[in-house]
Amino acid sequence: MSKHVPDNYSPNWLQSIDQRTSVAQSLKRRYGELAADLGGESTLSYQQRALIDRALFLEFHLQQEEVKLASGAEFDSGRWVQSCNALLGIFKTLGLQRQAREVTLASYVKAKGDK
């Protein structure tokens, strides 16, 4: 397992990162937040899960590029804009608004009992 996000996207890149690292934990949290905003992971299609993976990869890439800009390192604004537009397209496809999750009384009571 790698401790770093790869330079290029590949399927299952998120699972290939050492899950003990803070980067992996942050990405896992972000995945959960995106999935929850879309109605919960159990409601997601394969396509939505694949788009979430790509959105996380692009978001991380953009953040790394912004660190370069802030530190005075070489920064390619054209690549940044291209990545930003790609991320926006994915977010628009997934939806920008939170989706309500269907909850039954039994699942609500069970969730409260688990805490």
Side-chain angles (χ1 to χ4, degrees), residues 64-93:
Q64 294 299 100
E65 291 300 308
E66 291 160 359
V67 167
K68 288 179 187 177
L69 176 63
S71 66
E74 188 175 328
F75 175 76
D76 183 342
S77 62
R79 285 185 65 197
W80 183 90
V81 168
Q82 185 179 20
S83 296
C84 193
N85 285 336
L87 180 59
L88 179 60
I90 291 172
F91 281 158
K92 283 183 176 180
T93 300

Side-chain angles (χ1 to χ4, degrees), residues 32-76:
E33 289 175 6
L34 269 169
D37 282 351
L38 294 170
E41 189 168 5
S42 65
T43 68
L44 298 177
S45 66
Y46 170 83
Q47 297 88 329
Q48 288 172 308
R49 291 190 308 272
L51 286 173
I52 288 173
D53 282 350
R54 283 158 182 84
L56 291 174
F57 186 87
L58 280 169
E59 183 181 32
F60 187 83
H61 168 72
L62 284 165
Q63 289 171 333
Q64 294 299 100
E65 291 300 308
E66 291 160 359
V67 167
K68 288 179 187 177
L69 176 63
S71 66
E74 188 175 328
F75 175 76
D76 183 342

Side-chain angles (χ1 to χ4, degrees), residues 5 8 16-18 21-23 31 33 41 51-53 57 60 70 77-78 82 90 95-96 101 107-108 111 115:
V5 174
N8 297 311
S16 70
I17 301 172
D18 186 342
T21 66
S22 61
V23 169
Y31 184 96
E33 289 175 6
E41 189 168 5
L51 286 173
I52 288 173
D53 282 350
F57 186 87
F60 187 83
S77 62
Q82 185 179 20
I90 291 172
L96 299 175
R101 182 185 297 187
S107 65
Y108 176 78
K115 289 186 179 181

